[in-house]
Amino acid sequence: MRAQFVLSEIGVGLRRNLTMTFAVIVSVALSLALFGGALLMREQVSTMKDYWYDKVNVSIFLCNKTDASASSKCAKGAVTTQQREQIQADLKKMDIVENVIHETAEEAFKHYKEQYGDTAIASVITPDQMQESVRVKLKDPEKYKVVATAFAGRDGVESVQDQRSILETLFNMMRSVNYAAVALMLLMLVIALMLIINTVRVSAFSRRRETGIMRLVGASSFYIQMPFIMEAAFSGLVGGAFACVLLVAGRYFLVDHGLNLAEQMPLVNFIGWDVVLAQLPLVIVIGLLMPSVAAFIALRKYLKV
């Protein structure tokens, strides 16, 4: 009997405040979709870092004849065979180094032509202008500075470049987008909470006569508050479900179909469905708890029911 009464009161409350309930559902759905999107973006950045950091190298560019006249770091002339062999030998002795590959100027020129053969500048570049280099694969990419400190400034070395720094620009941009999504999510969350609190207050005020009678016949405060809390929980649950639909649809249309980024950007290791599905229960739980707690606080603080 009590359960039936609570359910009937929930139905009455939802019908009386249909417009505000719809607004709560939409705001909760958007805020939770942004929350889930921020989580997925963080996972995407982490996945890409793990994928690319495992593949990046430290490149030690050696001086050539052109550098000898153009760069102060190569004032002693182009790298000699002895210097090159010594650099490779010293690298192989380092515990943090996994692999060492020497790329000649001719090989560098060939790779350059393969990548930029259609450009105007490629037609005037000659092999002797290309730098030979030593590609260093580190066991731990974070130890780049050890190599840079050991070899920067050595005779025959023009520069030491960490390819990871190139990727950091991309990752920083993605983090900025993620922070913007979090900020927007927090704004939507505040709006959703304000709507929930206002909806509960309006609903309780419109039923003040019924709640007054229930108080007179000895109903507990929790029993009186339960329909209002359940209304908010229902709205949050529906909003959370819509947020899950948006997240799944976003992954489906952005990566697998629609924009089909998986094929358009084959070098990007996108997060899988397992990561997306793993976030959905959290979104549902937050969608259920957040309005319930907000409604409980609103009833306790603002309304005497």
Side-chain angles (χ1 to χ4, degrees):
M1 182 66 182
R2 288 190 173 186
Q4 184 178 0
F5 171 76
V6 171
L7 291 175
S8 66
E9 285 296 300
I10 292 173
V12 170
L14 292 174
R15 286 194 299 271
R16 285 183 178 179
N17 301 285
L18 189 60
T19 303
M20 295 191 70
T21 299
F22 178 75
V24 169
I25 291 174
V26 171
S27 59
V28 169
L30 291 177
S31 60
L32 290 180
L34 288 169
F35 170 73
L39 292 179
L40 294 179
M41 179 65 77
R42 185 184 65 182
E43 291 293 332
Q44 180 64 58
V45 172
S46 178
T47 299
M48 289 179 65
K49 287 178 68 175
D50 292 341
Y51 179 79
W52 283 107
Y53 278 4
D54 189 51
K55 292 174 171 52
V56 298
N57 298 316
V58 174
S59 297
I60 301 177
F61 291 99
L62 306 179
C63 298
N64 59 18
K65 293 180 180 179
T66 303
D67 295 326
S69 58
S71 175
S72 59
K73 297 178 181 178
C74 299
K76 295 183 179 181
V79 64
T80 64
T81 302
Q82 182 180 0
Q83 289 171 341
R84 182 192 312 112
E85 292 176 350
Q86 186 62 50
I87 290 171
Q88 291 179 264
D90 291 344
L91 282 169
K92 292 177 181 178
K93 292 178 183 177
M94 301 179 74
D95 294 335
I96 62 172
V97 173
E98 181 178 320
N99 191 24
V100 177
I101 300 175
H102 174 239
E103 182 182 66
T104 65
E106 289 74 17
E107 290 172 337
F109 177 74
K110 179 182 177 182
H111 294 156
Y112 182 86
K113 294 290 286 186
E114 289 174 353
Q115 295 181 25
Y116 306 103
D118 296 333
T119 61
I121 193 173
S123 60
V124 297
I125 293 292
T126 58
D128 61 305
Q129 293 176 301
M130 303 300 295
Q131 288 178 307
E132 61 178 305
S133 61
V134 179
R135 311 287 182 178
V136 184
K137 175 69 175 177
L138 299 179
K139 295 177 182 178
D140 181 3
E142 299 291 337
K143 300 291 181 64
Y144 152 74
K145 290 185 178 180
V146 176
V147 176
T149 302
F151 292 92
R154 283 183 58 161
D155 292 343
V157 175
E158 195 276 329
S159 64
V160 181
Q161 184 183 82
D162 179 18
Q163 294 177 348
R164 191 184 62 169
S165 61
I166 301 173
L167 296 175
E168 280 296 335
T169 303
L170 172 63
F171 294 147
N172 288 336
M173 182 183 68
M174 294 180 69
R175 290 192 194 98
S176 299
V177 173
N178 194 30
Y179 293 149
V182 170
L184 186 57
M185 179 269 293
L186 292 175
L187 177 62
M188 291 299 301
L189 187 61
V190 171
I191 294 173
L193 289 174
M194 292 175 64
L195 279 170
I196 292 167
I197 292 173
N198 195 47
T199 301
V200 170
R201 294 176 67 182
V202 170
S203 180
F205 182 79
S206 66
R207 284 184 278 173
R208 63 190 183 280
R209 183 171 177 273
E210 292 94 324
T211 56
I213 294 173
M214 292 172 67
R215 174 74 69 185
L216 290 174
V217 298
S220 65
S221 296
F222 183 74
Y223 184 72
I224 297 173
Q225 294 170 359
M226 181 57 67
F228 303 103
I229 296 174
M230 293 295 290
E231 288 172 26
F234 175 79
S235 300
L237 184 62
V238 175
F242 274 120
C244 291
V245 171
L246 290 174
L247 292 174
V248 171
R251 171 62 171 76
Y252 180 82
F253 287 106
L254 289 177
V255 179
D256 295 333
H257 299 81
L259 293 180
N260 200 14
L261 295 180
E263 290 189 8
Q264 298 293 334
M265 304 172 66
L267 296 179
V268 177
N269 186 32
F270 289 100
I271 55 174
W273 278 107
D274 57 329
V275 178
V276 177
L277 297 178
Q279 308 301 326
L280 301 187
L282 178 61
V283 172
I284 291 291
V285 170
I286 294 177
L288 186 63
L289 292 180
M290 180 187 70
S292 303
V293 174
F296 179 76
I297 293 174
L299 291 168
R300 298 277 294 181
K301 186 173 183 179
Y302 297 109
L303 300 171
K304 303 298 182 182
V305 297

